[in-house]
Amino acid sequence: MSRFSDQPSPMARPKSFLWTRRIVLTLITAFVAIPVYVMLSSSLKSLQDVQGSFRWIPHSLTVRPYIDIWKTIPLAHYFVNSVIVSVSATVFSVAVAIFAAYAVSRYRFMGRKVFTVTVLSTQMFPGILFLLPLYLIFVNIGNDTGVTLNGSRLGLIITYLTFSLPFSIWMLAGYFDSIPRDLDEAAKVDGCSALGALFRVVVPAAVPGIVAVAVYAFMTAWGEVLFASVMTNESTRTLAVGLREYATENDVYWNQVMAASLVVSVPVVAGFLLLQRYLVAGLTAGAVK
Amino acid sequence: MTATAPPRRAPEAGPGSGKSAAGRRLGPRLVERLRQGGLPYLLLLPAILAELLIHIVPMVFGIVISFRDLTLFYIRHWQTAPWAAFDNYKAAVEIHQPIGQALLHSFWVSLSYTLLSVSFSWLIGIAAAILLQDTFRGRGILRALFLVPYALPTYAALITWTFMFQQDTGLVNHVLHDQLHITSSKSFWLLGNNSFWAMLIVSVWKSWPFAFLALMAGLQNIPRELYEAAAMDGAGVWQQIRKITMPSLRPVNQVIVLVLFLWTFNDFNTPYVMFGQSPPKQADLISIHIFQSSFVNWNFGSGSAMSVLLLLFLLVVTALYLLVTSRGRSESDV
């Protein structure tokens, strides 16, 4: 992963460039960091402190909000729902995508172009386009067969495939393309079947890419709002919908809201930053080509 | 799930068994037939079934119901909903009637939101990517920090911004009114005209790191020799950026602009989390407008017709864009 290896500057930079760099990077840093700071600092404030005019420096620090968030709303329950739905959608998408991406990357067959164009274009369609018909289909399935998909976790997982499957296929195909074809050709010459070559050569070589795709699919599912707001009920609600419950009519416990936001963010941000290099390589292999 | 079963057999063939163990298990004739061209389709089978289930069938169904007068009353038996022919479409495009007028308004809001957001996101992205090209102290930290908006769960970021835009307790009014004295009173940011700008700022904050990421990758693909040769010829850093960096980034830029356009135009999360189901008129993006017609007013026929129109618009934009940007460039195959 030497894509972003440090390179020395080719020549001395003029003063104008250095000053521009300092100023612009400072402004961007402030733009990016201020909301993060607000989230962190407000989550450590007392309720009176967040209910008055905003203060950059908290009056006093308290971890109370982090304890209270679990009692004000069933946050733990929503957390579990989010984990189940996001993990299931991720595992299913990646498993299906590995086979599809291998076929697209290694074989030339009739309908290949139709398939790739379909996958690519559905990735660009708005979620609302699939939400309406899927909702009605689920209602009617429930009506005809008694299988309740609306409000169930399974129903939500299915709707999450609408976005996680296409980009998993697309990104993995890009990743598989970057693995030399000679590797699995050689395995086949040695007597491996095509699937043997896939699982003994291509998949092991693509582990960083597969991890990147999985993390990305998980992140997207974890942050999904539209489907979750329509397809869940009280017992299957995810964090995306559940967090709104802190906003009661009169007083919003902003310190708790910020604490909860931070708690739901830490796992994905940590995962993202740890796997940054792989993710960037994987993302760009699929996106920038 | 059963669809994934056959291909799974291969890795279980056993580590030591070596030569085409999977083949032996499947039977020689089947393997022979697979070798002759069935295999790609077998590999694609799970994906094709899933695509049918989640994309193709819903899309066809969406088109079917856009021709029906499907309201809450018929939701359990969509087949009994009266046939509406093109009525839903007519209502959607009649710009002097309430439905059409609201849709057109929402379209203009979405378009201006998208064009502004994509421009700013691209500008910040390219600035950051170019300025972080050199090695200097703190570069790695900045690079990681700049990716945080991209990594944060959308709603967590949006809720934080909503807090910052609160009239009494928010940071924005504190800075503008209490600290810098720019505004004479604490303005409402989540109502009226301001809501559009509030939403735009948040949108740029969330999407510029994507441009940054892709452009950083694009910059890595520019050969160092080009810069070295230019420097030898006496080209300064600004000239190098103009003459080498920008032209080399053209293909990356085209992808970024298209992807950001589609994402932003379809944005649902920003207005929904910031303003709820019924955003102010100035922040009524097309996705939430359709959502509202369908799930708040319970008119699925009308919502579907609007969805189909939205899809047609996006397809035309994409096709035109690809046509314009691929001109003068050798045809690249997917």
Side-chain angles (χ1 to χ4, degrees):
Chain A
M1 293 302 114
S2 57
R3 296 186 70 121
F4 294 104
S5 61
D6 292 349
Q7 291 159 337
S9 312
M11 58 177 291
R13 299 305 198 191
K15 273 238 158 68
S16 68
F17 180 82
L18 293 179
W19 274 108
T20 312
R21 185 162 81 189
R22 271 175 214 141
I23 293 166
V24 172
L25 288 182
T26 308
L27 289 175
I28 298 177
T29 304
F31 183 47
V32 168
I34 285 176
V36 179
Y37 174 76
V38 167
M39 195 194 274
L40 179 67
S41 67
S42 305
S43 74
L44 295 166
K45 287 178 180 177
S46 65
L47 190 59
Q48 294 103 298
D49 206 356
V50 282
Q51 277 175 342
S53 187
F54 181 83
R55 307 177 59 88
W56 286 97
I57 313 288
H59 256 302
S60 59
L61 294 180
T62 168
V63 290
R64 197 76 226 162
Y66 286 90
I67 300 162
D68 292 340
I69 46 173
W70 308 96
K71 288 179 258 164
T72 313
I73 66 162
L75 187 69
H77 185 69
Y78 300 153
F79 216 97
V80 171
N81 284 336
S82 276
V83 170
I84 293 175
V85 173
S86 308
V87 169
S88 312
T90 303
V91 169
F92 191 83
S93 308
V94 173
V96 171
I98 285 177
F99 296 109
Y102 185 62
V104 169
S105 166
R106 293 299 196 260
Y107 294 93
R108 297 290 170 270
F109 52 88
M110 240 177 65
R112 178 175 174 274
K113 191 142 188 180
V114 175
F115 181 80
T116 49
V117 168
T118 309
V119 167
L120 186 62
S121 47
T122 51
Q123 195 182 0
M124 306 183 310
F125 295 164
I128 190 87
L129 198 74
F130 303 111
L131 174 67
L132 306 187
L134 277 171
Y135 178 80
L136 289 168
I137 291 171
F138 286 180
V139 167
N140 282 276
I141 286 178
N143 215 28
D144 296 342
T145 66
V147 180
T148 318
L149 286 171
N150 262 338
S152 76
R153 292 198 196 96
L154 177 65
L156 193 59
I157 293 166
I158 293 173
T159 60
Y160 278 15
L161 297 180
T162 57
F163 56 85
S164 65
L165 187 62
F167 77 63
S168 298
I169 295 176
W170 190 246
M171 278 168 59
L172 273 182
Y175 217 90
F176 286 175
D177 281 343
S178 69
I179 295 166
R181 202 172 282 255
D182 303 351
L183 281 181
D184 41 314
E185 294 296 335
K188 280 188 210 158
V189 171
D190 285 349
C192 254
S193 67
L195 286 170
L198 168 62
F199 279 97
R200 286 174 199 195
V201 179
V202 180
V203 167
V207 163
I210 293 172
V211 170
V213 174
V215 170
Y216 192 66
F218 181 84
M219 277 173 52
T220 324
W222 190 256
E224 206 284 327
V225 178
L226 173 63
F227 293 112
S229 63
V230 171
M231 297 282 189
T232 56
N233 57 33
E234 289 94 303
S235 67
T236 55
R237 203 160 282 168
T238 62
L239 290 166
V241 193
L243 241 57
R244 293 173 65 93
E245 280 174 37
Y246 285 108
T248 49
E249 287 277 316
N250 299 316
D251 298 318
V252 183
Y253 302 134
W254 280 114
N255 52 348
Q256 288 189 38
V257 180
M258 291 298 102
S261 302
L262 201 89
V263 167
V264 305
S265 304
V266 163
V268 281
V269 175
F272 186 90
L273 293 181
L274 279 176
L275 296 165
Q276 200 205 115
R277 273 157 190 264
Y278 298 127
L279 267 170
V280 170
L283 267 173
T284 47
V288 187
K289 251 196 179 164
Chain B
M1 287 311 265
T2 49
T4 54
R8 284 257 171 82
R9 231 170 263 159
E12 291 158 12
S17 58
K19 321 270 171 186
S20 71
R24 237 173 274 139
R25 204 173 287 183
L26 281 171
R29 203 186 296 161
L30 184 56
V31 168
E32 200 47 50
R33 275 190 46 200
L34 292 182
R35 284 229 174 94
Q36 282 166 6
L39 185 63
Y41 299 106
L42 200 59
L43 289 167
L44 282 182
L45 191 64
I48 291 173
L49 289 177
E51 283 287 324
L52 277 173
L53 174 73
I54 56 175
H55 287 139
I56 312 294
V57 169
M59 235 152 60
V60 173
F61 186 62
I63 294 171
V64 169
I65 55 180
S66 70
F67 291 103
R68 284 181 184 269
D69 193 9
L70 188 61
T71 53
L72 187 56
F73 189 66
Y74 303 103
I75 191 172
R76 294 200 161 268
H77 302 278
W78 68 273
Q79 304 92 329
T80 58
W83 183 253
F86 283 96
D87 287 357
N88 289 322
Y89 288 93
K90 267 187 224 147
V93 296
E94 264 172 3
I95 51 169
H96 300 298
Q97 298 299 314
I99 296 179
Q101 206 174 24
L103 183 67
L104 184 69
H105 171 81
S106 159
F107 173 81
W108 287 122
V109 172
S110 294
L111 195 63
S112 30
Y113 171 73
T114 306
L115 293 178
L116 288 169
S117 172
V118 174
S119 314
F120 285 118
S121 300
W122 180 82
L123 265 175
I124 303 178
I126 187 95
I130 289 180
L131 296 175
L132 285 185
Q133 226 182 340
D134 294 347
T135 323
F136 59 90
R137 220 147 48 110
R139 172 171 169 261
I141 295 169
L142 286 184
R143 206 165 53 189
L145 177 73
F146 289 175
L147 294 178
V148 167
Y150 192 71
L152 271 180
T154 319
Y155 54 91
L158 287 168
I159 288 173
T160 307
W161 276 101
T162 311
F163 175 46
M164 289 164 61
F165 281 122
Q166 292 296 307
Q167 197 223 354
D168 287 331
T169 58
L171 169 140
V172 176
N173 274 343
H174 176 63
V175 171
L176 292 182
H177 180 71
D178 303 345
Q179 295 191 311
L180 301 177
H181 308 291
I182 293 174
T183 51
S184 54
S185 63
K186 294 195 166 185
S187 7
F188 285 99
W189 284 99
L190 302 175
L191 295 171
N193 280 333
N194 284 346
S195 59
F196 177 85
W197 301 107
M199 188 171 74
L200 179 69
I201 292 171
V202 181
S203 168
V204 172
W205 187 84
K206 278 192 305 158
S207 28
W208 82 267
F210 172 76
F212 169 64
L213 258 179
L215 286 164
M216 267 200 316
L219 288 175
Q220 297 294 317
N221 296 333
I222 304 174
R224 304 298 299 167
E225 295 80 48
L226 281 180
Y227 289 107
E228 277 152 21
M232 293 263 252
D233 292 341
V237 59
W238 298 113
Q239 239 178 330
Q240 289 176 22
I241 291 174
R242 224 178 46 236
K243 295 273 166 64
I244 300 173
T245 312
M246 296 316 288
S248 311
L249 286 179
R250 243 190 75 194
V252 183
N253 279 330
Q254 289 169 353
V255 174
I256 295 170
V257 168
L258 182 62
V259 169
L260 280 181
F261 183 93
L262 294 171
W263 279 353
T264 318
F265 200 84
N266 298 334
D267 189 10
F268 169 85
N269 298 342
T270 316
Y272 185 77
V273 177
M274 287 179 78
F275 314 108
Q277 285 188 343
S278 308
K281 225 176 85 190
Q282 293 85 348
D284 190 28
L285 296 186
I286 205 110
S287 275
I288 201 158
H289 189 81
I290 297 174
F291 176 87
Q292 210 185 5
S293 312
S294 313
F295 290 100
V296 180
N297 303 334
W298 298 105
N299 195 338
F300 285 95
S302 177
S304 298
M306 293 179 194
S307 303
V308 174
L309 290 174
L310 170 63
L311 179 62
L312 289 177
F313 170 74
L314 294 175
L315 285 177
V316 170
V317 168
T318 310
L320 279 177
Y321 186 81
L322 293 178
L323 205 73
V324 170
T325 54
S326 68
R327 197 179 290 161
R329 179 158 60 106
S330 63
E331 281 292 309
S332 66
D333 217 15
V334 177

